[in-house]
């Protein structure tokens, strides 16, 4: 079994949490799952639903060398939900299979899963994955893809060349 420990960061996108009006519960839920899966959670932060701030935070985390960045929130239909657009803007390559798998798994729980606009992509050697904003949905979505993320990071970071 591979012993590589990958760094991870959690970025919560929420106007209310950024203003201190509501505690961030989704970010800690994601961080706990990542830590339990063997990731070194290097940071957890909160930004408002502002595309420029989301893009800057994602770019900084990638520039710092973080292997995996997961975002929570901002993936719905609200006019303020711009996390997917910010993520796509900073990524050089998209990874559509990850959000497809999350939506498929979530459809078994709720038909509203098809309304998620979450995306995933690669910036340099960092994988960025959008998760929904509720702690329950974070757990369900991350559980669906977490087993495959390690292999993707191994390939992305040159620890494995086996893509089969």
């Amino acid at each position: 079994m591979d012993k590589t420990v990958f760094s991870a960061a959690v970025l919560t996108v929420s106007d209310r949490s950024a203003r201190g009006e509501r505690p961030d519960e989704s970010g800690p839920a994601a961080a706990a799952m990542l830590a339990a899966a063997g990731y070194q959670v290097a940071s957890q932060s909160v930004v408002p639903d502002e595309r420029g701030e989301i893009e800057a935070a994602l770019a900084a985390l990638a520039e710092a060398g973080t292997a995996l960045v997961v975002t929570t929130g901002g993936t719905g239909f609200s006019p303020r939900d711009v996390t997917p657009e910010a993520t796509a803007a900073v990524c050089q390559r998209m990874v559509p299979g990850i959000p497809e798998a999350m939506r498929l798994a979530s459809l078994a729980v709720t038909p509203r899963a098809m309304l998620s606009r979450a995306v995933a992509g690669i910036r340099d050697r960092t994988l960025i994955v959008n998760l929904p904003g509720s702690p329950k949905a974070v757990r369900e979505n991350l559980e669906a893809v977490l087993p495959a993320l390690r292999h993707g990071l191994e390939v992305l970071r040159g620890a494995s060349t086996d893509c089969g």
Side-chain angles (χ1 to χ4, degrees), residues 146-164:
L146 202 50
L149 296 184
R150 175 167 296 284
H151 178 70
L153 290 170
E154 289 169 352
V155 174
L156 180 62
R157 299 204 145 224
S160 173
T161 58
D162 177 20
C163 290

Side-chain angles (χ1 to χ4, degrees), residues 107-154:
L107 277 170
V109 179
T110 175
R112 291 183 181 175
M114 69 181 74
L115 302 177
S116 170
R117 298 183 320 104
V119 300
I122 296 167
R123 179 182 176 103
D124 300 324
R125 292 172 25 120
T126 299
L127 175 62
I128 302 170
V129 178
N130 296 159
L131 297 171
S134 82
K136 179 179 182 290
V138 163
R139 287 188 287 274
E140 291 168 358
N141 280 257
L142 200 48
E143 185 176 87
V145 298
L146 202 50
L149 296 184
R150 175 167 296 284
H151 178 70
L153 290 170
E154 289 169 352

Side-chain angles (χ1 to χ4, degrees), residues 96-107:
I98 293 172
E100 289 169 4
M102 292 189 307
R103 281 186 279 273
L104 181 63
S106 290
L107 277 170

Side-chain angles (χ1 to χ4, degrees), residues 2 28 49 62 133 142:
D2 184 55
D49 291 274
L142 200 48

